[in-house]
Amino acid sequence: MADTTSSNPEQKPETPDVPSGRKAFVPLAKPRDAENNPEVMTSLVRNLGLSKTLAFHDVFSIDDADLLAFVPRPAHALLLVFPVSDTYEKHRAAEDSSRPEYSGAGPQEEVVWFKQTIKNACGLIGLLHGVTNGNAAALIEEPESALAEIRSSAIPLLPGPRADLVYNSQALESAHASAAAKGDSNAPEADSSVDLHYVCFVKSANGHLWELDGRRKGPLDRGELPKEADVLSEAALTKGVRGFLKREEEAGGGDLRFSLVVLAPSLE
């Protein structure tokens, strides 16, 4: 399936979705309940070259201090998984309307951002954002690993060629296929239309919280965090996840399905 075509055919500027005719992956999450499998995610990124000292963990509550205490810290990346709603789409369109298309590249970038050009690959893009940014990036084990090669190759590229790098990576495609096969036996077909989406929050070396979403025009700087705060701190949640939940609750859609997964020290 890994061809070498460009991942950026002409498409209507008002839609962030992957154009028809692009290749598709089997989704990593269960569409019905936005449920994820942290073990599958961990297996995927370790197969690509991430250190076994890190793993993904479920976050069962951001309001119950006792449940939150079970999550290992520090939290290097936080993945929010949710169904794409009208409320989210209106917010995305309004926020992106005044923003130019991102054109960052090179080692001076504060974060590495990937545009999604593979259908149903938002889970993979979210995982890539989590493990190639912040402190987690220093824990990519082998310089010859697929993950190290993808990151080092991506950094000097503009967003278009960077998206092509991901699109044409046989290593990513194989790792994703292997992980998807370990997941839900009732997972939809690769070319199915799935409404679930992944957004990743990371803390940059400069101490800012960044929202990384492959359907947006670029990475979003959500503001500076206190020095000791990680992405699961109250400061980070207030600037990120809580804003999303508040918009959805105020819209009164009645179907507030979401899940949270964090990249943090392994319990092994």
Side-chain angles (χ1 to χ4, degrees):
M1 284 181 64
D3 56 39
T4 55
T5 59
S6 170
S7 63
N8 298 287
E10 292 185 5
Q11 67 183 104
K12 295 180 180 179
E14 66 269 17
T15 175
D17 295 324
V18 174
S20 60
R22 297 292 85 194
K23 69 181 177 183
F25 285 174
V26 174
L28 290 177
K30 296 181 181 180
R32 178 172 299 177
D33 51 11
E35 181 181 340
N36 291 284
N37 188 325
E39 291 78 17
V40 168
M41 295 178 173
T42 298
S43 174
L44 193 160
V45 294
R46 286 181 179 176
N47 285 342
L48 289 170
L50 189 68
S51 169
K52 291 183 179 180
T53 61
L54 293 182
F56 285 98
H57 308 272
D58 282 315
V59 179
F60 294 108
S61 175
I62 56 174
D63 298 311
D64 187 321
D66 291 335
L67 288 176
L68 202 54
F70 283 105
V71 181
R73 307 294 276 271
H76 300 297
L78 182 63
L79 287 166
L80 168 65
V81 188
F82 60 94
V84 175
S85 65
D86 289 340
T87 300
Y88 170 77
E89 285 295 83
K90 289 176 182 177
H91 172 76
R92 176 198 57 76
E95 191 171 38
D96 280 358
S97 64
S98 60
R99 295 176 180 271
E101 292 286 345
Y102 183 66
S103 59
Q108 73 277 8
E109 280 187 294
E110 195 165 339
V111 289
V112 181
W113 176 76
F114 298 93
K115 181 76 172 177
Q116 182 185 343
T117 58
I118 302 171
K119 184 176 180 180
N120 293 336
C122 56
L124 176 64
I125 298 299
L127 296 183
L128 278 179
H129 282 146
V131 300
T132 60
N133 285 290
N135 292 333
L139 294 172
I140 297 174
E141 280 191 321
E142 302 294 336
E144 297 83 12
S145 69
L147 193 54
E149 183 178 348
I150 289 165
R151 186 177 188 274
S152 62
S153 298
I155 286 174
L157 298 178
L158 290 168
R162 186 180 289 177
D164 290 340
L165 174 73
V166 172
Y167 188 92
N168 293 317
S169 172
Q170 184 61 55
L172 284 178
E173 185 166 350
S174 297
H176 187 280
S178 176
K182 296 177 182 177
D184 182 19
S185 60
N186 296 316
E189 297 295 327
D191 58 357
S192 299
S193 293
V194 177
D195 67 349
L196 285 184
H197 190 54
Y198 289 65
V199 172
C200 183
F201 294 92
V202 300
K203 184 179 182 180
S204 69
N206 289 341
H208 281 229
L209 180 72
W210 286 82
E211 180 178 333
L212 305 176
D213 180 346
R215 293 179 77 243
R216 303 297 293 263
K217 286 186 173 181
L220 300 163
D221 185 353
R222 295 307 188 192
E224 187 174 6
L225 294 175
K227 183 177 180 180
E228 300 303 322
D230 64 10
V231 296
L232 204 51
S233 65
E234 187 54 40
L237 292 173
T238 299
K239 293 177 182 294
V241 171
R242 291 198 188 279
F244 163 82
L245 296 178
K246 182 179 179 181
R247 285 191 300 272
E248 295 292 329
E249 289 170 353
E250 290 178 346
D255 186 23
L256 191 58
R257 293 180 293 143
F258 73 96
S259 63
L260 293 169
V261 182
V262 70
L263 178 65
S266 172
L267 295 175
E268 296 176 358

